Every structure is written in C-alpha cells, then in structure tokens.
Amino acid sequence: MLVCAIPTILTLLLIRPDEIDYELARGAKKGGEDARPVRPHALLNDRPLLIFLVCAVMFHFANAAMLPLLGEMLAKGQAEAR
C-alpha cells in the first residue's frame, strides 16, 4: 500500500490550486448566465446513474449475504472454495 501511496501523494502535490475550476467541477455550465452548480436531487433524474446505483446496492447486499457462509466454512475448517 505504501508503494502505491507515494506516487499518488506526489501526483497530488503537483496539482496547483489555481488550475481547479470549482464551479465546473460541481456541475455548473461553463460560460452560462446561470453558473450555479447542479442540485443533488438532479442526480435522481440521470437514468444511467440510477441503474448503476441500483446495481451497486444489489451487489453489496448479495456480497454481504455470503460473508456469514464463508465465516461458517472457515470455522468448520473447510476453507476450500466451491
């Protein structure tokens, strides 16, 4: 982990704060009259994002259900994966 953390930290130190456009990063339209950021509830209107969210939640629910079974197998001494 340390080997991967060092290049990441060095790369982050190369980013100059004046290069960051905070309004654009938060979803504001560049050069528009109304340069306000997108509201969080607007994300719920993004269909691909909602599909991804549902898939991620379903994956975590399915993964969490398998943890007790794996723990039971390891506790019995049957650590072989089936």
Side-chain angles (χ1 to χ4, degrees), residues 21-39:
D21 186 353
Y22 292 102
E23 290 179 0
L24 185 61
R26 291 185 355 228
K29 303 289 185 203
K30 189 168 187 169
E33 300 165 359
D34 187 20
R36 293 182 311 183
V38 175
R39 300 275 183 212

Side-chain angles (χ1 to χ4, degrees), residues 32-50:
E33 300 165 359
D34 187 20
R36 293 182 311 183
V38 175
R39 300 275 183 212
H41 71 279
L43 296 174
L44 298 176
N45 295 333
D46 190 6
R47 185 175 171 93
L49 183 62
L50 282 178

Side-chain angles (χ1 to χ4, degrees), residues 8-9 18-19 21-22 24 33 42 46 53 65 71-72 76-77:
T8 302
I9 292 170
D18 58 331
E19 293 178 341
D21 186 353
Y22 292 102
L24 185 61
E33 300 165 359
D46 190 6
L53 177 65
E72 184 180 331
K76 288 182 180 178

Side-chain angles (χ1 to χ4, degrees):
M1 187 170 89
L2 182 64
V3 172
C4 292
I6 291 172
T8 302
I9 292 170
L10 292 175
T11 303
L12 289 174
L13 291 174
L14 292 175
I15 299 173
R16 293 185 298 246
D18 58 331
E19 293 178 341
I20 300 172
D21 186 353
Y22 292 102
E23 290 179 0
L24 185 61
R26 291 185 355 228
K29 303 289 185 203
K30 189 168 187 169
E33 300 165 359
D34 187 20
R36 293 182 311 183
V38 175
R39 300 275 183 212
H41 71 279
L43 296 174
L44 298 176
N45 295 333
D46 190 6
R47 185 175 171 93
L49 183 62
L50 282 178
I51 292 171
F52 173 74
L53 177 65
V54 168
C55 290
V57 168
M58 287 174 27
F59 168 78
H60 285 289
F61 282 154
N63 196 23
M66 294 302 292
L67 288 176
L69 294 174
L70 178 63
E72 184 180 331
M73 285 176 52
L74 291 173
K76 288 182 180 178
Q78 300 173 353
E80 62 188 53
R82 293 181 185 193

